[in-house]
Amino acid sequence: MPHLTIQGETQLNGKVAISGAKNSALPLICAALLTDKILTLHNFPILTDTTKLLEILSELGAKTSIIPNQNGEFGSPQQLNIEFSNVISLLAVHEAVNQMRASILVLGPLLAREGQATITLPGGDAIGARPIDLHLKGLQKMGAQVEIIDGKVHSTAPKGGLNGAHITFPFISVGASEHLMLTAALANGETILENVALEPEITDLAHLLQKMGVPIEGIGTSTLQIQGKNGVPLTAASHHIIADRIEAASFVIAAIATKGDVTLTHINPILIKDFLDILSQNGANIAIDGHQIKVTGAPEYFKPLNIETAPFPGFATDIQAQLMALLCLVDGKSYINELIFENRFMHATEYQKMGANIDIQGARATIHGGAKLRGTDIAASDIRACFGLVIAALAAQGETVLRHIYHLDRGYESFEQKFAGLGAVMKRYH
Ligand code: UD1
């Protein structure tokens, strides 16, 4: 099994370029299903997750090419071109579907375009049950017949295609919001989506759909009005993917945990404004200059926190594990309430192996901080936990062996190169 050794007591210093957002790239790739013209995505992050989604689309008939950007100006210098003029299969059953929850976003667009689509039930991180009921109910409301047989979702549109609908989500789901936005773009007439997620990645998707010719009102609010194109393929478009706010926030935390001095580049600070406010109010020094964020700090100057995760603009569940690594080092008692996913404290056990003192009761973690962490043999349970464990390992005494590092490759572009550029010493064993 591949693993990483990480040298502890390392101060991170220097500049790091933030890549294009994984969680934007995935739904944006799926927009290619809505057109027979070329979709171009700039600032495209090459990750296992994005590459696998492209493999899924290729099996359906998409032609994809990745072109390096010569000027190297952006964190992710690549440009992705996708052309899906010829659908050769309506079965999304590539083994990658099983490994990545976001692959469900293929279903609605393919169904809206072709009138029929089948997908393997998607998998993903082991962070909770993660059902897809909101996705499927939304498609049904647009007239689709949906059946789950032998681990596959089979869907059929009515004659004449899917119809626009008024859909109110009973609770906020990022994926279901994106899925029904994509599907509504090709449906007949207007779709109104209420209680839509407010994540910046949703806004990014809405902007791309607008460029592809879909009128959308309410962008940036929880109610979207989408004028579907009645099955007429959308136009060609070119789009710059927003920066990865989760990667950015993770490097900010790493800088503080390692008493470092790190400047993030290629990041619009607005994307993580509330997060930066919390950190600066609690003892970090944050200086913003255009699209750069300079962070200095140290656990000994940081105050304990009481945080609960929530949909945007609340505290992101995707930064919870990384924050916990820092709070293990901060004197005093901190609390984290995980309110999005029911099983997202698996990293706590690994921090405990390193010497942290954490009590978990249901969705609430109490972190008795001020621990002196020691490097040991640990394993990551999901993408975000993996970055959190790297932070703990860099701050710990001695060397850490980190296992299940495929999670890093799923979510963070050029992970080791970026950390090496900040002075970290890591070695990958294959
Ligand atoms: C997306 C992000 C993920 C992030 C999460 C929450 C991507 C590719 N992934 O995941 O990184 O952690 O948002 O910010 O963008 N739920 C249901 N039924 C559904 C859909 C969701 O019960 O049909 C539940 C989930 O189990 C979870 C909650 O709703 O408890 C939120 O999930 P959701 O916002 O849908 O997360 P994802 O889109 O999977």
Side-chain angles (χ1 to χ4, degrees):
M1 258 301 213
H3 63 272
L4 208 59
T5 57
I6 302 169
Q7 192 177 302
E9 292 179 292
T10 300
Q11 228 178 25
L12 296 180
N13 288 308
K15 280 193 173 179
V16 59
I18 300 305
S19 294
K22 170 182 86 75
N23 285 357
S24 248
L26 296 172
L28 296 181
I29 288 172
C30 292
L33 290 155
L34 305 171
T35 175
D36 51 5
K37 308 286 185 317
I38 294 180
L39 172 65
T40 299
L41 298 177
H42 301 276
N43 202 28
F44 176 73
I46 296 186
L47 305 161
T48 321
D49 273 17
T50 51
T51 310
K52 283 190 171 168
L53 186 57
L54 292 179
E55 282 171 24
I56 294 169
L57 261 65
S58 298
E59 227 172 64
L60 302 175
K63 295 199 170 58
T64 67
S65 60
I66 294 175
I67 303 163
N69 183 339
Q70 297 307 319
N71 64 27
E73 194 189 329
F74 295 104
S76 311
Q78 298 84 213
Q79 170 186 321
L80 169 71
N81 292 334
I82 320 180
E83 186 191 342
F84 203 179
S85 50
N86 195 14
V87 180
I88 58 171
S89 170
L90 303 179
L91 293 174
V93 291
H94 189 285
E95 58 174 13
V97 173
N98 220 340
Q99 298 155 14
M100 185 179 28
R101 180 171 163 84
S103 42
I104 187 70
L105 302 182
V106 168
L107 182 69
L110 192 59
L111 170 67
R113 177 164 167 171
E114 298 296 320
Q116 211 181 322
T118 295
I119 191 165
T120 312
L121 273 172
D125 283 322
I127 56 178
R130 302 185 89 180
I132 51 166
D133 51 328
L134 300 190
H135 298 245
L136 302 186
K137 278 184 191 143
L139 296 180
Q140 284 167 326
K141 205 117 197 247
M142 297 173 97
Q145 278 194 345
V146 179
E147 272 183 312
I148 300 180
I149 305 168
D150 292 340
K152 292 191 185 64
V153 186
H154 300 268
S155 63
T156 317
K159 270 206 178 78
L162 293 179
N163 294 310
H166 192 146
I167 297 165
T168 303
F169 296 108
F171 54 88
I172 289 174
S173 160
V174 175
S177 300
E178 292 165 344
H179 195 178
L180 296 175
M181 286 165 70
L182 285 160
T183 310
L186 272 195
N188 302 322
E190 181 178 82
T191 292
I192 298 176
L193 299 177
E194 288 196 64
N195 204 21
V196 169
L198 297 173
E199 268 68 2
E201 293 76 21
I202 302 271
T203 300
D204 208 24
L205 174 61
H207 286 151
L208 173 65
L209 291 174
Q210 277 189 321
K211 286 181 192 171
M212 296 173 82
V214 183
I216 304 182
E217 276 178 44
I219 296 177
T221 75
S222 56
T223 302
L224 294 179
Q225 270 171 275
I226 302 169
Q227 305 305 327
K229 301 299 280 187
N230 307 325
V232 177
L234 306 188
T235 58
S238 174
H239 186 75
H240 186 95
I241 301 174
I242 59 169
D244 196 313
R245 64 195 169 94
I246 306 301
E247 184 198 24
S250 306
F251 275 110
V252 168
I253 295 170
I256 302 165
T258 63
K259 309 176 188 180
D261 182 341
V262 173
T263 299
L264 279 53
T265 66
H266 302 96
I267 166 81
N268 177 357
I270 299 290
L271 290 171
I272 51 170
K273 186 188 174 303
D274 292 351
F275 168 78
L276 293 176
D277 286 348
I278 293 173
L279 293 203
S280 45
Q281 280 155 22
N282 276 268
N285 299 309
I286 312 251
I288 291 173
D289 181 9
H291 277 53
Q292 299 203 354
I293 303 171
K294 181 174 160 62
V295 191
T296 55
E300 49 266 47
Y301 304 123
F302 206 79
K303 288 182 246 158
L305 277 173
N306 187 351
I307 286 285
E308 63 181 40
T309 60
F312 193 87
F315 194 91
T317 174
D318 282 355
I319 320 175
Q320 181 259 103
Q322 302 88 313
L323 183 76
M324 188 183 278
L326 170 61
L327 295 177
C328 290
L329 304 164
V330 172
D331 268 336
K333 220 190 266 187
S334 290
Y335 303 92
I336 297 180
N337 270 6
E338 172 53 60
L339 301 183
I340 304 290
F341 293 110
E342 68 271 25
N343 192 19
R344 208 175 197 181
F345 281 142
M346 271 129 89
H347 40 277
T349 319
E350 307 305 297
Y351 297 144
Q352 281 165 333
K353 287 183 194 161
M354 301 177 80
N357 186 354
I358 304 166
D359 285 332
I360 305 285
Q361 278 182 329
R364 187 171 174 81
T366 306
I367 301 132
H368 307 273
K372 298 277 172 279
L373 300 183
R374 292 175 308 279
T376 185
D377 198 322
I378 50 175
S381 50
D382 72 67
I383 300 179
R384 310 310 175 186
C386 209
F387 202 121
L389 295 177
V390 170
I391 295 172
L394 291 168
Q397 285 174 355
E399 190 178 81
T400 294
V401 176
L402 176 59
R403 299 183 192 276
H404 298 176
I405 53 171
Y406 55 88
H407 291 299
L408 291 178
D409 303 326
R410 284 190 61 190
Y412 307 99
E413 193 174 47
S414 309
F415 184 84
E416 283 135 274
Q417 290 94 316
K418 287 188 185 184
F419 268 100
L422 295 174
V425 180
M426 299 179 179
K427 190 160 187 246
R428 182 182 285 244
Y429 293 85
H430 292 280

